[in-house]
Amino acid sequence: HVQLVESGGGSVQAGGSLRLSCQVSGYIYSSYCIAWFRQAPGKEREGVATIASGGATAYSDSVRGRFTVSKDNKQNTLYLQMNALEPEDTAMYYCAMGWISWPRRFENDQYRYWGQGTQVTVS
């Protein structure tokens, strides 16, 4: 049984930084992708960053150049370093894992396992 647990959210002023973590436990298959999604109030959940098992990364246009996704394979932990935060980044952030089709890497239904989320508030 795979579990994902996010941490590191909080409140920060515009221009500040946060680092989110996602601890993955359970049986982890090969050729997986782990991604960060976010959902703001009244909006659909959107993908922001993903990293494949081989290390390839991708970012949404809204965060490219400000956010960096990385992972520690030994610790089974995914990270999202968020810099130059903007009020528009305020959302619940989720990590997700799946065996995806890379062209569809930011589609929700590509990911099978989801965490409970961690709140990020930028003011």
Side-chain angles (χ1 to χ4, degrees):
H1 180 63
V2 176
Q3 288 188 311
L4 294 83
V5 179
E6 303 94 336
S7 62
S11 296
V12 64
Q13 292 188 337
S17 298
L18 282 174
R19 189 176 82 154
L20 305 183
S21 299
C22 174
Q23 180 69 53
V24 182
S25 61
Y27 191 90
I28 301 173
Y29 295 86
S30 61
S31 302
Y32 61 88
C33 282
I34 304 182
W36 288 99
F37 284 73
R38 67 185 182 186
Q39 187 168 23
K43 295 187 177 181
E44 294 186 354
R45 188 163 55 188
E46 62 171 350
V48 296
T50 188
I51 184 166
S53 55
T57 59
Y59 299 91
S60 67
D61 291 342
S62 61
V63 307
R64 189 177 296 113
R66 300 187 298 121
F67 290 11
T68 303
V69 62
S70 62
K71 61 179 180 173
D72 183 331
N73 288 330
K74 290 184 178 180
Q75 298 295 326
N76 290 335
T77 303
L78 177 74
Y79 301 101
L80 185 68
Q81 178 66 43
M82 305 186 295
N83 298 328
L85 283 162
E86 304 168 352
E88 293 74 21
D89 296 317
T90 294
M92 185 72 78
Y93 283 71
Y94 300 90
C95 62
M97 186 171 78
W99 298 269
I100 71 167
S101 171
W102 191 249
R104 301 177 60 192
R105 54 192 174 269
F106 287 142
E107 296 182 21
N108 286 260
D109 62 4
Q110 291 287 292
Y111 295 86
R112 179 175 181 180
Y113 299 104
W114 292 82
Q116 294 300 306
T118 186
Q119 177 68 38
V120 172
T121 302
V122 185
S123 60

